[in-house]
Amino acid sequence: MDKELLRFYPTDEAPLDNNFPRWMPDDGIYGPFIPTSLYRVKLALKLADCKPGDIVADLGCGDGRFCAAAIILFDASFAVGIDSDATVIRIAETIVDQLSVNKLVNLNPQKISFVTGDICDINIGGIARDPSITILVAFLFPEFSFDFRDLLLAHFNRGCKIVAITFDLANIPELTLIDNCDRMGENGIW
């Protein structure tokens, strides 16, 4: 299964901590697309105990690898990816189409949806605020986590598991860490 995913996500690498790119205003509303390695994607979903019945939302989904992995590797019921960059959304949709058409994996394309838009936009934000979401993935630069504080807390307070990649969301003290992660985070996952 992993080999099939690697065919469609060939940039299976993440920047080194000491080489992390800085966000520039031209990079999009909340930052540039920075791929997360498939190893970290799987580990993050495992730490969140992703399983059949889960509904996964990925804020800033990039090429859709969290959504695809949730469905293919963990049999989640549904996954939605939201990104402000239409180009990466087209890439995500193309990859899911290729995985489905080539029947390389057991993938029902009806179980994955991608949306282009600003999560703060009420029309797009309504999707991100769906109370049926059980796992929420966020790769948010610290300076933007305050913009999403109310959204994250609403999900957290009703029992949704929030997975933070690279940035620990420590500036939202009402959030608590998942029991199986230490304070330093495992592989940059909180």
Side-chain angles (χ1 to χ4, degrees), residues 78-93:
F78 189 76
V80 59
I82 304 169
D83 204 294
S84 61
D85 185 339
T87 301
V88 295
I89 289 292
R90 283 192 298 276
I91 291 168
E93 291 169 337

Side-chain angles (χ1 to χ4, degrees), residues 36-163:
T36 301
S37 72
L38 288 177
Y39 169 79
R40 288 177 73 206
V41 168
K42 291 187 303 184
L43 182 59
L45 291 170
K46 181 180 175 189
L47 289 172
D49 192 28
C50 188
K51 60 189 175 299
D54 275 324
I55 297 175
V56 177
D58 184 3
L59 307 182
C61 68
D63 63 8
R65 56 184 68 202
F66 271 97
C67 294
I71 300 299
I72 295 166
L73 302 177
F74 295 90
D75 198 28
S77 293
F78 189 76
V80 59
I82 304 169
D83 204 294
S84 61
D85 185 339
T87 301
V88 295
I89 289 292
R90 283 192 298 276
I91 291 168
E93 291 169 337
T94 299
I95 290 171
V96 167
D97 288 345
Q98 290 173 345
L99 285 167
S100 176
V101 169
N102 293 325
K103 298 189 186 320
L104 294 173
V105 293
N106 184 18
L107 173 65
N108 176 351
Q110 302 301 314
K111 293 175 73 172
I112 299 180
S113 176
F114 295 105
V115 179
T116 303
D118 179 354
I119 300 158
C120 290
D121 178 310
I122 191 65
N123 296 319
I124 303 301
I127 296 166
R129 288 171 176 73
D130 185 334
S132 65
I133 294 169
T134 56
I135 297 173
L136 185 107
V137 179
F139 188 146
L140 296 172
F141 290 155
E143 57 266 33
F144 296 119
S145 60
F146 187 76
D147 293 349
F148 298 99
R149 180 183 179 281
D150 292 342
L151 171 71
L152 295 172
L153 285 174
H155 281 296
F156 178 76
N157 289 334
R158 62 170 187 69
C160 178
K161 298 171 190 168
I162 298 172
V163 179

